Amino acid sequence: MTSTPGSAGPTGAVTPPPSEPARRVARFTRAERWVHRTTAALTLLCVATAAALYVPQLAELVGRRHLVVTVHEWAGILLPAPFLAGLASPAFRADLRRLNRFGPHDRRWLRAVRQRDRRRGSRPAGKFNAGQKIYASWIAGAVLVMLATGLLMWFTHLTPLIWRTSATFVHDWLALAVGVVLAGHIRMALADPEARRGMRTGSVERPWAQREHPLWLGDEPKGERAERPAKGAESEAGRAPGTPST
């Protein structure tokens, strides 16, 4: 090894790498993102066609009521399809198990929200916080009720009039509640760019995960973390020790 003018040491010495960007952590697989996007598209289609059917100004503007009714009916029928298809994904099934578990830390999270406690560590959460678990359970139940009442309204010859009248009442008011809850869900998503990036790309920044879901990374099996290497880390890892950098 030789030294060159102006260098502090031999030319073969490896200089320390610059500070690397925060590592990203895999959060959702492609299958899970597909289920979310498809379900969201069908849900928004149901909401938009429902508004065109029930709001007089929109009904007059859109017209083609028979076509709108047909689109609304089939969008509702297909709404459970992405969920059922997603069951083929092990990652999707694992996240369903996480959503179905409600532990002591979830009660702490809810208590902190009620008290508006935003101190670090006051809202412990795994991969999904208590609010996300409640939302997922509520929307799943609402979809089943909407599907059942919608079928009663669609096939009018199969049930008595009182059943159809009751189904219409439940369907209409639950649709309004779903619209309000979805608006809140979208508002929360718009307020958290990193959460949206996680659903769009499948990975999130490690500091965000440690801040918003501090119990998540510690509970993940090593085989499921699948961290994305930082830029340049792969090439540095593949270089033999002592090999000069170019």
Side-chain angles (χ1 to χ4, degrees):
M1 296 184 185
T2 58
S3 298
T4 57
S7 65
T11 55
V14 179
T15 57
S19 58
E20 296 177 344
R23 295 171 66 91
R24 299 186 64 82
V25 183
R27 182 161 173 81
F28 297 114
T29 63
R30 181 173 298 181
E32 291 176 293
R33 302 199 304 275
W34 178 88
V35 170
H36 184 269
R37 292 167 185 170
T38 312
T39 302
L42 288 171
T43 302
L44 291 177
L45 186 57
C46 284
V47 171
T49 50
L53 291 172
Y54 284 93
V55 180
Q57 294 82 356
L58 286 177
E60 183 179 354
L61 179 65
V62 175
R64 299 191 177 186
R65 184 175 181 85
H66 179 71
L67 176 61
V68 174
V69 169
T70 302
V71 172
H72 182 79
E73 291 171 341
W74 282 104
I77 288 291
L78 293 173
L79 196 52
F83 173 87
L84 296 175
L87 292 176
S89 166
F92 184 70
R93 296 196 302 271
D95 277 352
L96 285 181
R97 290 192 292 270
R98 293 185 182 96
L99 286 168
N100 286 329
R101 295 194 188 106
F102 210 87
H105 62 278
D106 294 309
R107 288 187 282 274
R108 282 185 56 196
W109 190 94
L110 290 173
R111 185 163 55 249
V113 170
R114 287 197 303 269
Q115 298 172 354
R116 298 184 179 181
D117 186 354
R118 297 184 178 276
R119 292 176 300 172
R120 184 176 180 86
S122 63
R123 300 186 181 186
K127 187 172 184 179
F128 303 102
N129 61 43
Q132 292 168 327
K133 293 178 180 181
I134 292 173
Y135 169 80
S137 299
W138 188 89
I139 204 69
V143 167
L144 291 177
V145 174
M146 293 291 287
L147 182 60
T149 54
L151 289 173
L152 290 176
M153 296 164 60
W154 190 355
F155 299 101
T156 55
H157 61 285
L158 297 180
T159 55
L161 177 61
I162 185 64
W163 286 28
R164 299 197 303 271
T165 304
S166 302
T168 302
F169 178 83
V170 173
H171 195 87
D172 291 354
W173 282 102
L174 185 55
L176 180 61
V178 167
V180 172
V181 172
L182 284 177
H185 180 68
I186 294 172
R187 178 176 174 272
M188 296 286 288
L190 291 176
D192 194 339
E194 189 61 26
R196 296 199 313 274
R197 190 176 297 114
M199 185 54 71
R200 189 176 67 251
T201 66
S203 64
V204 293
E205 295 284 351
R206 173 176 286 276
W208 179 90
Q210 293 172 333
R211 182 180 69 253
E212 299 294 336
H213 302 270
L215 305 180
W216 169 33
L217 297 182
D219 290 342
E220 285 287 285
K222 290 183 179 180
E224 294 184 13
R225 293 189 185 179
E227 295 179 348
R228 180 180 299 176
K231 186 176 180 180
E234 185 176 357
S235 59
E236 288 290 335
R239 183 179 300 140
T243 304
S245 58
T246 55

